[in-house]
Amino acid sequence: MYKARIIGTGSYLPEKILTNSDLEKMVDTNDEWIITRTGIRQRRIAADNQATSDLALEASKKALITAGLKPEEIELLVVATITPDMPFPSTACVLQAKLGAKNAVCFDLNAACTGFIYGLSCVKQYLQMGTYKTALVVAAETLSSVTDWQDRNTCILFGDGAGAAVLRREETQRGLMEIYLNSDGNYQGLLNMPAGGSRIPATENSVKERLHFLKMKGNEVFKIAIQSMIKAANEVVSRNNLKWEDVKFIIPHQANTRIINAVAKRVGVSMERVFLNIHKYGNMSAATTAVGLDEVIREKDIKEGDLLMLVAFGAGFTSGACLIRW
Ligand code: UT7
């Protein structure tokens, strides 16, 4: 049986750090509120000359080095993002040119914070079917470009970053195992960016009304995020007849430490096996689980055959979980 195996990962975080005390000077907030309500201490912000493809490029280069591959060997390139360089062409095509991945078929995918898991699921199908042999999935976000820096409800939450994974079709027991995905468009109004598409194209008014920024009804999103992540995580465990003890590390989407704690508690996993980097980076949407996977692989004692789980929730709403045998 062919599997899509991750043979290299990489991540990139922009240099600029925005701390909670920096935010205290911008909006009516304070370090203590942000830490106790979210777990975030700082986040990274892209430089003025950095767009999403620039962050994606750095993460991709690292993933290719780890995989020991040249850019020309990539046959499929998927970028998961809600902050593309521009509405079109795709950020994947922009990245292709920068990276020199001249033999790749390239497209973007928008599943918000669940984007990396959706990207992996997409590539898994192509590789297992034999359409392509080698793929690159990149999750990259420049959320600072759609953050309303006057809105304390949202501006404290988000950061910029990118993570990448190179996958190859192999006859092995290792690789992407079960992936569960879910979508529910009925909740689109709770988390979105209203303008800039065909519904509300850019006008003087749309700018004045601040409609080109991310809007979120955080409190309502919070409850559904917990339920959805529990459901997704439990699905992939039960579909494989596994016990939670079998999973070595869980890499959850990092929107709020309280969400992560609640999910871990409900599924009965101790926080020692749950990866956290929210204090350093905040919520980087699709990039969060991709960066988390790279950091777990580099920092934790992950051995061949260990089971890892990615689980995420985001705008759409979308949710999903992915079980990986390393
Ligand atoms: O990644 C995709 C999915 N996103 C999520 O999953 C995010 C889910 N939501 C959350 O993480 C939380 O709802 C937030 C962190 C966004 C907000 O936390 P909360 O505990 O739900 O707070 P709240 O919105 O209910 O607000 C509580 C109070 C309000 O004041 P009043 O009305 O009680 O006087 C807010 O105005 O906290 C106030 N508040 C703030 N205070 C200081 C809201 N933002 C801030 C702030 N600093 N930055």
Side-chain angles (χ1 to χ4, degrees):
M1 173 69 182
Y2 284 101
K3 281 250 166 29
R5 184 168 84 81
I6 297 176
I7 57 166
T9 61
S11 57
Y12 173 76
L13 287 313
E15 272 173 38
K16 184 178 168 189
I17 292 174
L18 185 72
T19 63
N20 291 351
S21 63
D22 293 331
L23 282 163
E24 284 176 2
K25 294 172 202 127
M26 297 160 66
V27 287
D28 179 15
T29 190
N30 59 78
D31 181 49
E32 202 224 323
W33 191 96
I34 301 174
I35 291 173
T36 53
R37 305 307 289 171
T38 71
I40 302 167
R41 291 177 182 272
Q42 59 179 52
R43 62 291 287 146
R44 299 298 184 94
I45 304 293
D48 290 344
N49 64 351
Q50 281 181 314
T52 294
S53 66
D54 300 310
L55 314 192
L57 176 66
E58 299 307 321
S60 302
K61 282 189 205 161
K62 290 184 189 168
L64 283 166
I65 289 169
T66 320
L69 292 186
K70 297 193 194 76
E72 308 86 271
E73 292 177 86
I74 300 297
E75 295 168 336
L76 175 64
L77 197 177
V78 178
V79 174
T81 188
I82 52 168
T83 48
D85 283 23
M86 56 192 107
F88 67 88
S90 69
T91 300
C93 279
V94 177
L95 175 63
Q96 173 190 31
K98 287 183 175 172
L99 193 60
K102 58 181 184 189
N103 297 313
V105 168
C106 308
F107 60 89
D108 285 2
L109 181 156
N110 176 340
C113 307
T114 322
F116 184 54
I117 298 176
Y118 271 62
L120 291 175
S121 89
C122 180
V123 157
K124 179 175 185 273
Q125 307 305 323
Y126 279 111
L127 297 190
Q128 287 189 349
M129 289 296 287
T131 316
Y132 304 112
K133 194 170 184 296
T134 312
L136 173 64
V137 180
V138 193
E141 302 285 11
T142 312
L143 291 174
S144 59
S145 65
V146 296
T147 296
D148 185 345
W149 295 106
Q150 294 177 14
D151 176 14
R152 71 171 183 174
N153 292 297
T154 54
C155 75
I156 55 145
L157 298 169
F158 301 103
D160 302 335
V166 178
L167 294 101
R168 196 164 55 196
R169 171 184 160 92
E170 279 183 11
E171 209 167 347
T172 173
Q173 295 301 313
R174 298 169 66 196
L176 303 182
M177 295 174 65
E178 190 72 40
I179 301 186
Y180 165 85
L181 302 176
N182 187 257
S183 312
D184 190 344
N186 287 315
Y187 292 109
Q188 59 188 278
L190 297 185
L191 178 50
N192 61 26
M193 190 175 97
S198 56
R199 179 69 57 200
I200 309 176
T203 58
E204 217 173 296
N205 224 26
S206 69
V207 173
K208 233 184 261 163
E209 289 174 15
R210 311 188 74 74
L211 299 179
H212 296 271
F213 294 122
L214 180 160
K215 313 276 177 200
M216 178 168 70
K217 297 196 171 82
N219 213 292
E220 290 167 65
V221 175
F222 188 91
K223 294 165 208 150
I224 305 167
I226 295 173
Q227 290 157 9
S228 307
M229 284 170 70
I230 292 170
K231 161 102 175 127
N234 276 330
E235 278 288 334
V236 290
V237 166
S238 64
R239 282 184 192 179
N240 284 274
N241 297 319
L242 295 167
K243 295 191 280 306
W244 272 100
E245 302 86 270
D246 300 326
V247 182
K248 171 123 181 202
F249 248 101
I250 297 151
I251 302 149
H253 176 54
Q254 318 264 320
N256 191 318
T257 320
R258 290 185 292 138
I259 294 178
I260 299 170
N261 284 335
V263 173
K265 196 170 167 193
R266 275 281 298 280
V267 300
V269 169
S270 98
M271 286 300 288
E272 280 149 34
R273 286 195 289 137
V274 178
F275 184 71
L276 289 178
N277 60 11
I278 187 170
H279 52 290
K280 295 191 286 184
Y281 309 136
N283 179 348
M284 301 180 288
S285 190
T288 291
T289 42
V291 171
L293 176 64
D294 182 51
E295 292 192 335
V296 162
I297 297 308
R298 288 173 196 275
E299 293 166 15
K300 306 288 173 188
D301 182 27
I302 304 301
K303 298 198 172 60
E304 187 174 323
D306 282 345
L307 278 177
L308 305 174
M309 181 194 287
L310 307 175
V311 55
F313 168 84
F317 285 163
T318 60
S319 58
C322 171
L323 205 57
I324 302 164
R325 186 169 297 284
W326 195 251

